[in-house]
Amino acid sequence: MSMDVAPRLDIDVLLDDPQTRIVVCCGSGGVGKTTTAAALGVRAAERGRKAVVLTIDPARRLAQSMGIDALDNIPRRVEGVGGGNGGELHAMMLDMKRTFDEFVEAHADPERARAILANPFYQSLSAGFAGTQEYMAMEKLGQLRARDEWDLIIVDTPPSRSALDFLDAPKRLGSFLDGKFIKVLMAPAKVGGKAGMKFLNVGVSMMTGTVSKVLGGQLMRDVQTFAAAMDTMFGGFRTRAEATYRLLQAPGTAFLVVAAPERDALREAAYFVERLAADQMPLAGLVLNRVHGSGAEQLSAERALAAAEILTLAGDPVDPDDALAKAAEGSDPAKNGAGAENLANGGFVDPPSGNAQARNPSAADPDVSPTSADSSAERLAAGLLRLHAERMQVLGREQRTHDRFTALHPEVPVAQVAALPGDVHDLAGLRAIGERLAVPPERTNRVAG
């Protein structure tokens, strides 16, 4: 079963292009963005790029996969990647509060910086205010790009409720910090407490009084003190957010939308593709993760279930080969391939002879009768056929879901990643993902994930 309806995304061409300086992996949560970003970093470094991966994954699996004890706000060299071709890989994890602190320390004098960092409202804001993580991810991206130490930056976007938050949140936070609401809150502190309040507009006084009742007097004072200390920095938030936004629109940036072959994930991917187009963001393509496959795709679910039903009918024992032949209704083994439908991976049928194994009683066990051995073989074959039918039904759902996305966006190139048998937990696993990203699906050994 092939899903190659859309044009194929050539990952190696993207990574090898020296004009590609930033790759942003985005998508809804739980689709493998972190693993994809790390695998791209490993592959890019081993193809000669000097790359850094910025992750915002709270599970911290990236550090384990790359053999680093801990990731922090400083890029760390990943040993065992790159080498003689000049490639290098560094990895880091966004420390949201530390990035905010660095921003304050870089744009305020020491005394003012200490006052800001000690302010209770600032501590709450920097630790988890809505949009802060996305804003600081873009701030850190801007810092890395400005240092010009790496020729490729790969960004794993925050695990947010909506993939669109990565684009929207920085603007929202920048507008809030640079907006009229903060300026109104700041006014009493700027004019000097109770005496200054006499000079304020009556409407402003009523507004701040109402807010104080809602938020609480202490919080209101903390906000006002924070606003006064940050006064000279407010314009910088929006300016820097807009500068990084323009960086994301630049030709050297490539967005990869990561999704799983599931309805909700691909619906979110379609929304994101449309939003990127509306914002003139450079989309490289879609990475479709955890795609399932089968080595016997020509045996449909219906035929497999029919064969299983024949094997489980009451009455005389049925030869599994005969049942499969009847269910196939004249399928030609010479055309289909002797090893394709014989479930060899399950260890049931002998490929060279085509004869079912273990249908004769074992010489080592004289108590096993031919009838019981045949019955056990039939039950095993029926179970394997039903498992194959379930797999084919999964493949069918994935195909239909992918086709719906392609019908909406036929111009979007797609790279499919075959599902791995287990989780990725080391560099070998990341290399395997990189290979599957780069190699066309028909050349991969697609197995269950």
Side-chain angles (χ1 to χ4, degrees):
M1 181 180 298
S2 173
M3 293 186 184
D4 284 345
V5 178
R8 189 176 74 85
L9 171 62
D10 196 324
I11 289 293
D12 285 345
V13 169
L14 176 69
L15 296 179
D16 292 346
D17 186 356
Q19 300 302 314
T20 302
R21 302 298 304 274
I22 297 172
V23 173
V24 181
C25 296
C26 51
S28 56
V31 296
K33 293 193 303 292
T34 300
T35 302
T36 298
L40 289 171
V42 171
R43 191 164 183 86
E46 294 189 336
R47 296 178 69 85
R49 301 297 298 270
K50 188 175 181 181
V52 59
V53 176
L54 168 62
T55 183
I56 305 98
D57 181 15
R60 306 207 170 199
R61 290 168 297 151
L62 184 64
Q64 180 184 6
S65 298
M66 293 186 165
I68 301 175
D69 293 336
L71 290 178
D72 54 24
N73 221 36
I74 301 173
R76 307 289 181 183
R77 176 75 180 270
V78 179
E79 300 298 332
V81 178
N85 59 5
E88 292 181 11
L89 179 61
H90 295 74
M92 63 177 296
M93 176 175 289
L94 178 71
D95 184 331
M96 181 175 63
K97 188 179 187 310
R98 184 60 207 149
T99 301
F100 210 152
D101 291 350
E102 290 171 354
F103 181 89
V104 170
E105 291 166 351
H107 294 85
D109 60 76
E111 183 177 353
R112 185 179 294 240
R114 283 193 296 272
I116 294 171
L117 297 180
N119 183 273
F121 179 74
Y122 168 80
Q123 291 172 0
S124 298
L125 177 70
S126 60
F129 196 80
T132 305
Q133 187 178 54
E134 288 82 359
Y135 182 97
M136 289 304 148
M138 294 182 69
E139 169 68 21
K140 181 57 69 174
L141 170 60
Q143 292 177 9
L144 293 174
R145 186 66 182 88
R147 288 168 61 177
D148 205 27
E149 292 183 22
W150 300 275
D151 57 28
L152 180 63
I153 302 170
I154 300 173
V155 182
D156 165 34
T157 55
S160 53
R161 178 188 58 81
S162 169
L164 303 180
D165 286 350
F166 182 65
L167 295 177
D168 290 336
K171 280 189 172 181
R172 290 200 304 268
L173 182 63
S175 297
F176 169 73
L177 292 175
D178 194 25
K180 294 180 180 178
F181 180 68
I182 283 289
K183 286 181 170 60
V184 168
L185 295 180
M186 186 174 64
K190 292 184 67 175
V191 297
K194 293 182 179 179
M197 287 290 289
K198 298 178 182 179
F199 300 98
L200 289 176
N201 179 278
V202 174
V204 173
S205 299
M206 292 176 62
M207 183 268 189
T208 54
T210 301
V211 172
S212 181
K213 290 179 181 178
V214 173
L215 299 181
Q218 183 59 50
L219 177 58
M220 183 66 177
R221 287 190 290 274
D222 290 340
V223 172
Q224 290 175 336
T225 304
F226 165 79
M230 293 281 286
D231 184 26
T232 59
M233 296 175 56
F234 278 133
F237 282 99
R238 178 178 290 180
T239 300
R240 292 176 73 87
E242 291 174 351
T244 308
Y245 203 78
R246 289 193 299 271
L247 180 63
L248 294 176
Q249 293 176 315
T253 299
F255 277 82
L256 289 177
V257 178
V258 183
E262 301 165 0
R263 183 178 60 182
D264 291 344
L266 277 173
R267 182 186 294 121
E268 187 80 8
Y271 291 150
F272 204 89
V273 166
E274 293 161 6
R275 174 60 189 275
L276 290 173
D279 285 10
Q280 299 180 327
M281 299 286 183
L283 173 65
L286 171 74
V287 173
L288 196 60
N289 261 337
R290 302 166 187 161
V291 177
H292 293 87
S294 170
E297 293 186 357
Q298 68 273 32
L299 177 59
S300 68
E302 293 76 12
R303 288 180 174 180
L305 288 173
E309 183 67 21
I310 292 172
L311 287 170
T312 54
L313 287 175
D316 294 334
V318 180
D319 189 309
D321 289 344
D322 292 340
L324 188 56
K326 290 178 182 178
E329 295 180 346
S331 62
D332 184 359
K335 292 181 181 179
N336 292 335
E341 294 187 359
N342 61 21
L343 303 176
N345 289 336
F348 176 64
V349 175
D350 176 28
S353 65
N355 296 323
Q357 298 173 353
R359 284 206 297 262
N360 296 321
S362 170
D365 190 357
D367 294 331
V368 178
S369 68
T371 301
S372 64
D374 286 342
S375 177
S376 297
E378 290 153 12
R379 286 196 297 271
L380 175 60
L384 290 173
L385 285 165
R386 290 191 180 96
L387 286 174
H388 175 76
E390 292 177 4
R391 169 58 59 83
M392 294 305 294
Q393 289 166 353
V394 169
L395 266 64
R397 287 196 299 270
E398 292 181 355
Q399 176 73 65
R400 291 189 295 273
T401 303
H402 179 244
D403 286 348
R404 282 194 289 269
F405 175 88
T406 301
L408 288 172
H409 300 286
E411 77 288 353
V412 177
V414 178
Q416 297 178 46
V417 183
L420 288 173
D423 292 335
V424 175
H425 54 81
D426 55 19
L427 287 175
L430 292 175
R431 289 188 179 98
I433 292 292
E435 288 288 342
R436 291 167 185 242
L437 272 166
V439 177
E442 63 271 13
R443 290 172 53 194
T444 61
N445 179 24
R446 286 156 54 168
V447 293

